[in-house]
Amino acid sequence: MDMGILSNVRYRYVSQTATVETLLKEFFRKFIHICAAFVPVIAKFNLNAACILLAVAIPVYSVCEILRLKGVNVPVISRVTAYAARSRDAGRFVLGPVTLAAGILLSLLIFPLGYASVGILALAFGDGTASLAGKIFGRRKIPGTNGKTVEGSMACFIMVFLTSLMITRNFFHALFLGISAAVFEVLPLKDYDNLIIPLLISFLAAVLDSFALF
């Protein structure tokens, strides 16, 4: 088969809305998101250690990022940040890792671990898969959301529903949390969704449980 045809097929069907390079970067970014799912596991064994690691990671990363912007590359960290950065972050402080760690840390500090875990997994898997699904399968864009898609929102809903059901063991709670996460995720919050989603989902999980709703 002609290689040009193969390239066209790969571009058309592997990435519906992005170049292959953009898609690879998105996979890399969302892999970091998904790694957040290990935090509740660590916290279950030692909550203080998990919080300390996150609290230390924020200033360490911030210093490394400031140095990178000044032309001083810190091994591994600066390279990873530069590769994962979106085009909108060119020449700017990449805020995503800070809001990601802060959202997880605040959830652990404010809520009991069970509720915080629901919020953290919503961020890790819901937000993590929404962008990937939108870029690979997305065809129907949602107006006023800076390009977010119906397909991405559906992926977010499914993943949050499943992870919430796994923790809460309550179908209706999980359904409500999945819908809520999909609504929050579709808002044009940029990197601040990393901060808002885990806190809001953790809060809603606590409210549902406290008032025995559904």
Side-chain angles (χ1 to χ4, degrees), residues 9-87:
V9 169
R10 183 179 66 175
Y11 177 80
R12 190 174 301 168
Y13 293 102
V14 173
S15 177
Q16 296 288 352
T17 61
T19 64
V20 171
E21 178 64 18
T22 300
L23 193 60
L24 288 174
K25 286 191 174 188
E26 196 64 27
F27 268 109
F28 185 71
R29 275 193 294 270
K30 297 314 173 184
F31 172 75
I32 296 173
H33 261 72
I34 292 170
C35 285
F38 289 105
V39 174
V41 178
I42 297 171
K44 186 174 182 179
F45 288 98
N46 194 321
L47 178 60
N48 289 335
C51 291
I52 290 170
L53 286 172
L54 289 165
V56 170
I58 294 171
V60 168
Y61 167 81
S62 297
V63 170
C64 292
E65 183 62 355
I66 291 170
L67 290 173
R68 183 183 71 86
L69 292 174
K70 292 181 178 294
V72 180
N73 287 322
V74 178
V76 181
I77 296 176
S78 295
R79 189 182 182 112
V80 167
T81 303
Y83 178 76
R86 292 184 172 92
S87 57

Side-chain angles (χ1 to χ4, degrees), residues 8-204:
N8 289 336
V9 169
R10 183 179 66 175
Y11 177 80
R12 190 174 301 168
Y13 293 102
V14 173
S15 177
Q16 296 288 352
T17 61
T19 64
V20 171
E21 178 64 18
T22 300
L23 193 60
L24 288 174
K25 286 191 174 188
E26 196 64 27
F27 268 109
F28 185 71
R29 275 193 294 270
K30 297 314 173 184
F31 172 75
I32 296 173
H33 261 72
I34 292 170
C35 285
F38 289 105
V39 174
V41 178
I42 297 171
K44 186 174 182 179
F45 288 98
N46 194 321
L47 178 60
N48 289 335
C51 291
I52 290 170
L53 286 172
L54 289 165
V56 170
I58 294 171
V60 168
Y61 167 81
S62 297
V63 170
C64 292
E65 183 62 355
I66 291 170
L67 290 173
R68 183 183 71 86
L69 292 174
K70 292 181 178 294
V72 180
N73 287 322
V74 178
V76 181
I77 296 176
S78 295
R79 189 182 182 112
V80 167
T81 303
Y83 178 76
R86 292 184 172 92
S87 57
R88 73 181 186 217
D89 293 321
R92 298 170 54 190
F93 187 102
V94 179
L95 190 61
V98 173
T99 55
L100 179 72
I104 296 169
L105 176 60
L106 288 173
S107 298
L108 290 174
L109 292 174
I110 295 172
F111 302 100
L113 182 56
Y115 304 135
S117 297
V118 175
I120 292 168
L121 293 185
L123 175 65
F125 294 107
D127 185 59
T129 57
S131 182
L132 287 175
K135 281 185 166 52
I136 298 172
F137 305 109
R139 292 181 178 275
R140 291 164 288 187
K141 292 187 177 182
I142 303 172
T145 62
N146 292 336
K148 295 190 178 182
T149 65
V150 172
E151 291 81 3
S153 294
M154 287 300 299
C156 178
F157 162 73
I158 292 169
M159 293 305 296
V160 175
F161 169 74
L162 292 175
T163 55
S164 298
L165 184 61
M166 179 181 68
I167 297 173
T168 66
R169 306 289 181 176
N170 186 306
F171 177 87
F172 294 106
H173 287 195
L175 183 65
F176 182 81
L177 293 169
I179 293 171
S180 299
V183 171
F184 295 143
E185 191 280 330
V186 84
L187 298 175
L189 301 172
K190 296 185 178 179
D191 290 321
Y192 292 100
D193 59 356
N194 294 338
L195 184 63
I196 293 171
I197 287 176
L199 289 171
L200 283 175
I201 297 302
S202 297
F203 172 74
L204 289 176

